[in-house]
Amino acid sequence: MIDFVHLFEAIDGSTKTSVKVAAMLAYLQTAADSDKLFAMAVLMGNKPKRPIRTADLRIWASEESRVPLWLIEESYYVVGDLAETISLILPPKARSVTTDISLRDLFDAIVALRNMAPEEQRKLVTGYWSKLEGTALFLFNKLLTGNLRVGVSRKLVVKAVAQYLGRTEPEVEHRLMGKWSPFDEDMDSLFQDDLQEGKHFLPYPFYLAYALDKDPGELGDMKDWIIEPKLDGIRGQVIVRKGELFVWSRGEDLMTDKFVEFEPLRSVLPDGTVIDGEVIPWKEGKPMDFSVMQTRIGRKNISKNVLAAAPLVMVCYDLLEWEGRDIREWPLHKRRSQLQEILAIFPVGNILKLSSAMSFDSWDLAENYRQDARKHYAEGLMIKHRDSPYEVGRKRGNWWKWKTDPMTIDGVLVYAQSGHGRRANLFTDYTFAVWDQGELVPFTKAYSGLTDKELFTIDNWIKRHTIAKFGPVRSVTPELVFELAFEGINASSRHKSGVALRFPRIVRWRQDKPASEANSKEDLLNLIASKHESIR
Amino acid sequence: MIFELFIGIGYFVFVKENSKGLGMIWIRVANHAVHIKNDSILVHGAKIIKTILLSELFAVKANIYDESELPMNLLSVNECGLYCKQGDFYIDPWKPVKTALITHGHSDHMRAGMSSYICHHHTLPILKLRLGPDNLVQGVSYGEEFEINGVKISFHPAGHIIGSAQIRMVYEGEVWLFTGDYKLSVDGVSQPYELVKCDHFITESTFGLPVYNFPTNQSIYESINAWWQENAKEGVNTVLLGYALGKAQNILAHADKSIGDVFLHGAVDNVNQALTEVGYTFAGTRITADTRRDAIRGALIVAPPSAMDTPWLRTLKPYRIAMCSGWMQLRGARRRRGVDRGFVLSDHCDWAQLNQAVRDTEAKQVYVTHGYEHNFSKWVQDEYHIGASIFKTLYNDAEEENV
């Protein structure tokens, strides 16, 4: 694995994409064939599940290093990463270790761990600890904790693999779809097998829209664009091939077993049909809130009650394959009319719905709709060029998403915790509160949205304004006010404040506002109430 | 869970939670830790001066005592700094006082405004450079003994930077030692650390966590030179960031001058020039407006961390840049710095060195200052079964400071 260690170091040590791609290419050209797929899996974030309990890992590290558990915990707060903490705490090797383990063997060991008794696990893990050091030890521990991430995007990996194989990037991207397992594949099966035959379960790479960052007027004639409401569900692909049905999520998880509603499509739709759309709970002729979807996804057993409470449909907006033919090159309007025809002809019932194409007389009217999108059960508009092909990945130009403005509220910083990774040992994870009858009630956490410079300033402020420490968490004097944005809000019995926010983030630091002028719990409840008004 | 409440210098309250919820309450007044049971508290018979609500979360009240009613140690911390009442002097004070003993020339230890300074001879030129020529200053040698109001005082090498000292104080047969900043490893420039046995040991804890185990200095010098060589071969300049006083000289002394030329940021050259006064010479040419770009091609350039993201740095392109600091041990810190490389070169003790110092001094009481003082003092108590507590100081625990 020494070549993979060098690859990791090269990627980790540079911010230049050209250097990263060159390093991956060099690795692919020299690494053992049996290792390559494992490296690719790791690079793409397709890592094995955590095979052991981190509590055990802490105990073993404590015993091996003679560092007490509490001190490991304190160190972890500072380092911000358990795998790195353990790597640094383990006693240094007496002499340089030279044993080289193949990546494949390492993965075998990680997977084998899952079915071992704790004593066996311990023996295997500490055995590796005594054989590895430096970056190799760190990588091994990252695999044990199940969160090894390498600083490359999927796009870059695809680029390097395409260069290595002498194939096009869209083709490689397609081959690398789905959560393929490096244990079940080899280079040939992954890149040579016939897609329709051997890989009939594989989805097409999703085409993703860019956020509209200009005046829509600049897009030109409205007639050239197909405009649809942007729904807030889960992007998915329904595939019927060889008499089988597959439902994939945009996160490339196979959801067929969880989305049981789609099962009848297997016999309804002809083989060689692939539809792209939004999977969303739908009741009484209306889409339901995303929070309903979330609870539905979380269920292990889908009981009758759950099915009745959150019945899923797919709102279809694109057709990627028809009669076994890849039609992604067709212009959108042609794909769409074919899709319309299919939904009309085949008895898809209420399971598949056609996404409505909206017509507005002007961009101004579209803008009005966008602003009120929540009242229309949407989170904005999708604007797609009628002649656009179905491209691969996120591309500018033909597809735009035009989201409604997020809801915002001013909260007071009350707790801070240090972050992880690049933000380790820096107070960057904040809890915010709003006023409720003269008291501050915490209602959300938020992590992102501030510049590095602001983070350093606030970190320093937190250190000087700490009231109390609770392990890694500090409570601070309630003085700083931040404007927070979020995409959704719901009543929640699980949260002390009674509300749960969706995708909260920091918009800006309101240095102009004292804590007393922050928003109140009532303001939050009003936001929920105004949303429900529209639903009634 | 332990939570601790800081309510002013010398006062700490902390609560330890047991399985039933709130269990033990401790109060720490200055360096005394006192266990409270069932709300009844006795701190050496001292009088309660204030009762505060500890935390609404715990709904616990705690009592605060006046420090002056507690038994007196030779050294304590007050609002001006580390104070010796018997001798009426301060060590590395942070507010203007009459007499200041100075361990070394870093700006968090040597501040302006003291009526008189006492420091090692080699710190004199630094003091003059940084605080001006008009101070009342007395230089002492390592091992030279002097007395202030019955307290016997001597300075001993701390191995931190040139002129750095541990300060030993003896009164009524008890030996107190304040380390200032120190390291046991030898950097080839500053006078190596000298072990001083003592009863009361006051130590810094900048890197007082077991994750800080530094590689040997020798291996770091080697990797720095190898990296410089690699860059020079590609015609790229090598910029090393390190504190102008200490780290810079440490780097310069071990740079392999056969690889190429050495250039300096003005702040580094200023320190080097000052140190010539006490007999030190270091390689390197100051970069000025007249320095020709082609002259520095492939060279090694030493600059303080504050040079990062300045127009000055941009004139050195093309370059690769590295940070030299103990903090580079952690990946997060390395990435946050936004440098190409991080070299774990430190002028402080790592975890192993701190522990060795505690053991070798054979102290019966340890006081921990700036750094991970909570963790290190608890570790010392548990591991060595000797008393350990915290001195809350205002010394910088960031290792390198801004120039």
Side-chain angles (χ1 to χ4, degrees), chain A residues 87-99:
Chain A
S87 309
L88 292 170
I89 272 176
L90 289 171
K93 310 289 176 292
R95 59 198 149 75
S96 186
V97 272
T98 47
T99 13

PDB file of all heavy atoms in Angstrom, chain A residues 87-99:
ATOM      1  N   SER A  87      -3.402   7.516  15.877  1.00  0.00           N
ATOM      2  CA  SER A  87      -2.132   7.372  15.167  1.00  0.00           C
ATOM      3  C   SER A  87      -1.015   8.116  15.897  1.00  0.00           C
ATOM      4  O   SER A  87       0.119   7.645  15.948  1.00  0.00           O
ATOM      5  CB  SER A  87      -2.238   7.933  13.745  1.00  0.00           C
ATOM      6  OG  SER A  87      -3.358   7.401  13.092  1.00  0.00           O
ATOM      7  N   LEU A  88      -1.337   9.282  16.449  1.00  0.00           N
ATOM      8  CA  LEU A  88      -0.312  10.087  17.103  1.00  0.00           C
ATOM      9  C   LEU A  88       0.001   9.599  18.516  1.00  0.00           C
ATOM     10  O   LEU A  88       1.101   9.798  19.016  1.00  0.00           O
ATOM     11  CB  LEU A  88      -0.768  11.556  17.165  1.00  0.00           C
ATOM     12  CG  LEU A  88      -0.848  12.276  15.821  1.00  0.00           C
ATOM     13  CD1 LEU A  88      -1.536  13.621  15.976  1.00  0.00           C
ATOM     14  CD2 LEU A  88       0.540  12.457  15.218  1.00  0.00           C
ATOM     15  N   ILE A  89      -0.974   8.951  19.134  1.00  0.00           N
ATOM     16  CA  ILE A  89      -0.796   8.533  20.522  1.00  0.00           C
ATOM     17  C   ILE A  89      -0.039   7.210  20.640  1.00  0.00           C
ATOM     18  O   ILE A  89       0.689   6.981  21.601  1.00  0.00           O
ATOM     19  CB  ILE A  89      -2.181   8.452  21.210  1.00  0.00           C
ATOM     20  CG1 ILE A  89      -2.518   9.817  21.790  1.00  0.00           C
ATOM     21  CG2 ILE A  89      -2.219   7.390  22.291  1.00  0.00           C
ATOM     22  CD1 ILE A  89      -3.873   9.892  22.402  1.00  0.00           C
ATOM     23  N   LEU A  90      -0.191   6.357  19.643  1.00  0.00           N
ATOM     24  CA  LEU A  90       0.469   5.055  19.709  1.00  0.00           C
ATOM     25  C   LEU A  90       1.980   5.242  19.811  1.00  0.00           C
ATOM     26  O   LEU A  90       2.530   6.143  19.172  1.00  0.00           O
ATOM     27  CB  LEU A  90       0.118   4.223  18.474  1.00  0.00           C
ATOM     28  CG  LEU A  90      -1.324   3.717  18.432  1.00  0.00           C
ATOM     29  CD1 LEU A  90      -1.625   3.097  17.080  1.00  0.00           C
ATOM     30  CD2 LEU A  90      -1.581   2.723  19.541  1.00  0.00           C
ATOM     31  N   PRO A  91       2.631   4.419  20.609  1.00  0.00           N
ATOM     32  CA  PRO A  91       4.071   4.611  20.814  1.00  0.00           C
ATOM     33  C   PRO A  91       4.829   4.511  19.482  1.00  0.00           C
ATOM     34  O   PRO A  91       4.494   3.681  18.645  1.00  0.00           O
ATOM     35  CB  PRO A  91       4.457   3.472  21.760  1.00  0.00           C
ATOM     36  CG  PRO A  91       3.313   2.529  21.766  1.00  0.00           C
ATOM     37  CD  PRO A  91       2.105   3.285  21.357  1.00  0.00           C
ATOM     38  N   PRO A  92       5.828   5.379  19.289  1.00  0.00           N
ATOM     39  CA  PRO A  92       6.600   5.317  18.044  1.00  0.00           C
ATOM     40  C   PRO A  92       7.333   3.981  17.931  1.00  0.00           C
ATOM     41  O   PRO A  92       7.674   3.359  18.940  1.00  0.00           O
ATOM     42  CB  PRO A  92       7.574   6.492  18.170  1.00  0.00           C
ATOM     43  CG  PRO A  92       7.480   6.984  19.560  1.00  0.00           C
ATOM     44  CD  PRO A  92       6.273   6.412  20.201  1.00  0.00           C
ATOM     45  N   LYS A  93       7.547   3.545  16.699  1.00  0.00           N
ATOM     46  CA  LYS A  93       8.219   2.258  16.484  1.00  0.00           C
ATOM     47  C   LYS A  93       9.703   2.385  16.821  1.00  0.00           C
ATOM     48  O   LYS A  93      10.314   3.418  16.566  1.00  0.00           O
ATOM     49  CB  LYS A  93       8.079   1.824  15.030  1.00  0.00           C
ATOM     50  CG  LYS A  93       6.652   1.881  14.498  1.00  0.00           C
ATOM     51  CD  LYS A  93       5.777   0.784  15.099  1.00  0.00           C
ATOM     52  CE  LYS A  93       4.342   0.890  14.640  1.00  0.00           C
ATOM     53  NZ  LYS A  93       3.614   2.069  15.140  1.00  0.00           N
ATOM     54  N   ALA A  94      10.237   1.318  17.391  1.00  0.00           N
ATOM     55  CA  ALA A  94      11.641   1.316  17.775  1.00  0.00           C
ATOM     56  C   ALA A  94      12.529   1.503  16.537  1.00  0.00           C
ATOM     57  O   ALA A  94      13.481   2.263  16.533  1.00  0.00           O
ATOM     58  CB  ALA A  94      11.999   0.023  18.488  1.00  0.00           C
ATOM     59  N   ARG A  95      12.185   0.769  15.466  1.00  0.00           N
ATOM     60  CA  ARG A  95      12.930   0.982  14.218  1.00  0.00           C
ATOM     61  C   ARG A  95      11.931   1.043  13.088  1.00  0.00           C
ATOM     62  O   ARG A  95      10.779   0.627  13.220  1.00  0.00           O
ATOM     63  CB  ARG A  95      13.944  -0.146  14.020  1.00  0.00           C
ATOM     64  CG  ARG A  95      13.316  -1.508  13.955  1.00  0.00           C
ATOM     65  CD  ARG A  95      14.332  -2.608  14.193  1.00  0.00           C
ATOM     66  NE  ARG A  95      13.693  -3.758  14.828  1.00  0.00           N
ATOM     67  CZ  ARG A  95      12.905  -4.608  14.208  1.00  0.00           C
ATOM     68  NH1 ARG A  95      12.622  -4.443  12.928  1.00  0.00           N
ATOM     69  NH2 ARG A  95      12.358  -5.630  14.829  1.00  0.00           N
ATOM     70  N   SER A  96      12.395   1.562  12.005  1.00  0.00           N
ATOM     71  CA  SER A  96      11.516   1.762  10.862  1.00  0.00           C
ATOM     72  C   SER A  96      10.890   0.437  10.422  1.00  0.00           C
ATOM     73  O   SER A  96      11.576  -0.574  10.315  1.00  0.00           O
ATOM     74  CB  SER A  96      12.328   2.370   9.722  1.00  0.00           C
ATOM     75  OG  SER A  96      11.483   2.693   8.663  1.00  0.00           O
ATOM     76  N   VAL A  97       9.587   0.448  10.203  1.00  0.00           N
ATOM     77  CA  VAL A  97       8.924  -0.780   9.766  1.00  0.00           C
ATOM     78  C   VAL A  97       8.848  -0.811   8.237  1.00  0.00           C
ATOM     79  O   VAL A  97       8.570   0.203   7.604  1.00  0.00           O
ATOM     80  CB  VAL A  97       7.500  -0.909  10.355  1.00  0.00           C
ATOM     81  CG1 VAL A  97       7.547  -1.587  11.693  1.00  0.00           C
ATOM     82  CG2 VAL A  97       6.841   0.449  10.487  1.00  0.00           C
ATOM     83  N   THR A  98       9.077  -1.970   7.677  1.00  0.00           N
ATOM     84  CA  THR A  98       9.178  -2.029   6.220  1.00  0.00           C
ATOM     85  C   THR A  98       8.113  -2.902   5.569  1.00  0.00           C
ATOM     86  O   THR A  98       7.944  -2.851   4.362  1.00  0.00           O
ATOM     87  CB  THR A  98      10.557  -2.578   5.783  1.00  0.00           C
ATOM     88  OG1 THR A  98      10.822  -3.741   6.548  1.00  0.00           O
ATOM     89  CG2 THR A  98      11.648  -1.559   5.987  1.00  0.00           C
ATOM     90  N   THR A  99       7.394  -3.674   6.397  1.00  0.00           N
ATOM     91  CA  THR A  99       6.409  -4.575   5.800  1.00  0.00           C
ATOM     92  C   THR A  99       5.447  -3.809   4.913  1.00  0.00           C
ATOM     93  O   THR A  99       4.854  -2.829   5.331  1.00  0.00           O
ATOM     94  CB  THR A  99       5.531  -5.235   6.895  1.00  0.00           C
ATOM     95  OG1 THR A  99       5.748  -4.544   8.106  1.00  0.00           O
ATOM     96  CG2 THR A  99       5.822  -6.701   7.008  1.00  0.00           C
TER      97      THR A  99
END
